[in-house]
Amino acid sequence: MAPGGHSYINLDLRCPFFIILFSEVIRNELCNEKVDIWSFGVVLWELLTCEVPYKNVDSSAIIWGVGSNSLGLPIPSTCPEGYKLLIRQCWSIKPRNRPSFKNILVHLEIAAVEVLSFQTQDYQKTQVNQDQVFQAELRF
């Protein structure tokens, strides 16, 4: 472990979980718990979209794109606003600008109110339309 609670993480490209890692890991820079915050944002994105991150994108293109901050995951316009905001915060380029897990918990409690206010059939309609929106918004 390096000074300040930072450490290096070895990247094994044979492991499929590299797709949730942020650029400081890919570039073998010093890391702290904020790397986990970025990964949490990817997991939240997966839960909200029911999609695989960077589906049909070559692993070397993912590594280059994420490592150079030129590849991102699209947040569908059908995503509830509270969750959009949280995901964007988790994916901040600067680790110091990412929220703590304590702040994420508070944000999730607030954002849940929006989702729970949906009528079941209305929420299901947004999810059905989400796949079409997702494909239209996919960028590389």
Side-chain angles (χ1 to χ4, degrees):
M1 176 148 318
H6 294 78
S7 62
Y8 291 98
I9 299 174
N10 290 326
L11 180 61
D12 184 352
L13 299 181
R14 295 169 296 174
C15 175
F17 298 110
F18 77 89
I19 62 174
I20 66 169
L21 299 177
F22 190 59
S23 58
E24 58 258 30
V25 174
I26 291 172
R27 291 188 309 254
N28 200 31
E29 296 174 353
L30 286 174
C31 301
N32 61 21
E33 73 281 352
K34 296 297 185 163
V35 170
D36 295 329
I37 301 296
W38 193 87
S39 298
F40 174 80
V42 174
V43 171
L44 183 58
W45 179 89
E46 288 178 280
L47 291 170
L48 291 168
T49 63
C50 298
E51 293 286 339
V52 175
Y54 313 112
K55 183 171 56 176
N56 301 323
V57 179
D58 180 70
S59 61
S60 59
I62 296 170
I63 292 165
W64 182 86
V66 172
S68 64
N69 298 321
S70 63
L71 177 65
L73 295 167
I75 301 173
S77 57
T78 57
C79 182
E81 291 300 320
Y83 290 106
K84 280 184 194 178
L85 175 63
L86 179 57
I87 291 170
R88 286 187 186 117
Q89 289 175 344
C90 289
W91 291 347
S92 175
I93 298 296
K94 295 182 180 181
R96 70 176 176 267
N97 293 339
R98 298 177 199 150
S100 67
F101 276 114
K102 184 177 180 178
N103 288 342
I104 287 173
L105 182 59
V106 171
H107 193 101
L108 286 172
E109 290 172 353
I110 294 168
V113 173
E114 180 183 4
V115 172
L116 294 174
S117 69
F118 277 100
Q119 295 294 322
T120 303
Q121 63 274 18
D122 293 336
Y123 188 74
Q124 288 172 343
K125 286 178 188 174
T126 65
Q127 298 307 100
V128 168
N129 292 333
Q130 178 176 282
D131 189 48
Q132 296 164 348
V133 170
F134 177 78
Q135 293 305 321
E137 294 176 353
L138 186 60
R139 63 182 170 85
F140 175 64

